[in-house]
Amino acid sequence: MTTAFDAHCWAEIDLDALAHNFRLIREKAAPAAVCAVVKADAYGHGDGVAARTLAEAGAAWFAVSSLAEARHLRRSGIEQPILILGMTRPECAETLAAERAVQAVYSLEYARALSQAAEAAGVTVEGHLKIDTGMGRIGFGACRDFEGAVSGLLECRRMKGLAVTGAFQHFSVADSLLEEDRRYTEGQYALFLRVLKRLEAAGPLKTVHCSNSAGLTAHPEWSCGMVRAGVILYGQDPSSQVTFPGLRPVMALKTVVSQVKDLVPGDCVGYGRYYQADRVLRAATVCCGYADGYPRCLSNLGVASIHGRPAPVIGRVSMDQIVLDASAVPEVSAGDEAVLLGPAPADSFAQAAEKAGTISYELLCAVSRRVPRVYLRGGEAAEILDYLDKE
């Protein structure tokens, strides 16, 4: 297995940290099973390698957003059940069955179409009923029409070609400790239990799950039979209010210095002359930009590190290059490694997200396909995923 790559801009993925986080999650969720959410290429970490690591650590299920993601996991060697959280066109029923993918069933209209397509193809599709308890996206709207939702859910259980084996919901503000949001989350959980009581009166369901990362972190007692762990797998807290002790960040975004220059007062940096030096400083240009996933809105705001010392971003973040104030690193030279997002004193993903007015999830997912993923075991490169080289 090659571990060679072009050290231009890369993401280091610590598989030991990923396994560590999973163990913490499994301990907190016990006795419930853990479904590892690996949609969006495992939040930018590379779904194949991440899922295999999580499977080895004991993940019972995996969750993705689409049939394409489910198929990619199967091609990557994953044998565990895979739940598709989003829509799959009913005409793909035969492929769903062939891939042994469990499909979220979120409306009576959708269930009927999926049932008909499965019958026509001579297959049975396994499904989990999605109940909308207040998220307001897809799902049977129990929060708006309880009896209507229950009636539709029960009808799904009687459909041919559709094997309903589970039910779930999704919390919308479990990552908030505001009293109003806490009450809302408690209301979602109570409503879910009311629906379940009616559903299970018609027969037990094999798999029931209601908690996402924030739900598990704030309310481990609500685990039901399974929890869906997402961002906490990757070492990121659900929010600044709801934090999971002991997590280790899995990803760091790194690059190299291409050139070092000395600036004097009045010298300008980047598009729009967004930064103008007011003193003598050392400027280090690095090989990363917003096309790699580093947000442009961190211009003049972000902090990287070189040789373990802070190097603030100066000027506009451009598509492929960023300039850093490396005055605190007088020995800096071309070829040196720079950490853009990762261990202090560089911004963590959470710190950068706060500066950018977004969430760490988005920054993780934004690391682009031109950035090789370098997988570490025991601190050493064990595998390289280079999307461009594969193509």
Side-chain angles (χ1 to χ4, degrees), residues 35-46:
C35 173
V37 181
V38 292
K39 61 182 180 177
D41 200 27
Y43 291 44
H45 292 69

Side-chain angles (χ1 to χ4, degrees), residues 35-48 50-51 54 61-70 72-73 82-86 130 135 137-138 168 170-171 212-213 228-231 233-234 251 359 361-362 364-366 373 387:
C35 173
V37 181
V38 292
K39 61 182 180 177
D41 200 27
Y43 291 44
H45 292 69
D47 60 355
L54 292 165
W61 281 68
F62 291 91
V64 296
S65 179
S66 66
L67 177 57
E69 289 184 335
H72 190 257
L73 281 191
I82 299 173
L83 172 64
I84 298 176
L85 298 167
K130 175 63 184 295
M135 184 69 179
R137 302 187 306 192
I138 62 173
F168 69 110
H170 194 67
F171 291 121
N212 54 2
S213 289
R228 302 183 307 275
V231 76
L233 286 170
Y234 310 106
M251 182 189 291
I359 55 178
Y361 306 62
E362 182 179 3
L364 292 170
C365 293
R373 273 64 169 171
Y387 295 101

Side-chain angles (χ1 to χ4, degrees), residues 98-115:
E99 299 290 352
R100 295 172 289 115
V102 181
Q103 174 61 44
V105 178
Y106 50 83
S107 73
L108 193 54
E109 178 184 27
Y110 179 70
R112 286 170 177 163
L114 188 58
S115 170

Side-chain angles (χ1 to χ4, degrees), residues 12-183:
E12 287 187 353
I13 313 295
D14 186 342
L15 297 178
D16 297 327
L18 181 63
H20 164 84
N21 295 339
F22 179 85
R23 289 191 291 269
L24 291 182
I25 293 162
R26 183 173 58 183
E27 181 178 348
K28 193 177 188 73
V34 177
C35 173
V37 181
V38 292
K39 61 182 180 177
D41 200 27
Y43 291 44
H45 292 69
D47 60 355
V49 180
R52 288 193 294 272
T53 300
L54 292 165
E56 292 169 4
W61 281 68
F62 291 91
V64 296
S65 179
S66 66
L67 177 57
E69 289 184 335
R71 295 182 70 189
H72 190 257
L73 281 191
R74 291 291 185 229
R75 293 194 298 273
S76 298
I78 297 303
E79 294 296 328
Q80 286 80 357
I82 299 173
L83 172 64
I84 298 176
L85 298 167
M87 187 272 287
T88 300
R89 290 180 293 115
E91 52 266 38
C92 295
E94 187 172 6
T95 305
L96 282 169
E99 299 290 352
R100 295 172 289 115
V102 181
Q103 174 61 44
V105 178
Y106 50 83
S107 73
L108 193 54
E109 178 184 27
Y110 179 70
R112 286 170 177 163
L114 188 58
S115 170
Q116 291 170 6
E119 274 203 283
V123 299
T124 298
V125 173
E126 185 177 350
H128 282 192
L129 300 171
K130 175 63 184 295
I131 301 159
D132 180 9
T133 62
M135 184 69 179
R137 302 187 306 192
I138 62 173
F140 287 81
C143 53
R144 294 178 295 276
D145 180 5
F146 181 83
E147 291 298 334
V150 168
S151 175
L153 291 162
L154 290 172
E155 183 176 332
C156 291
R157 300 197 69 178
R158 298 189 293 268
M159 290 181 182
K160 295 179 180 179
L162 186 59
V164 173
T165 59
F168 69 110
Q169 68 93 51
H170 194 67
F171 291 121
S172 65
V173 286
D175 60 350
S176 171
L177 295 182
L178 294 176
E179 186 58 35
E180 180 181 357
D181 291 336
R182 288 171 65 93
R183 288 196 301 269

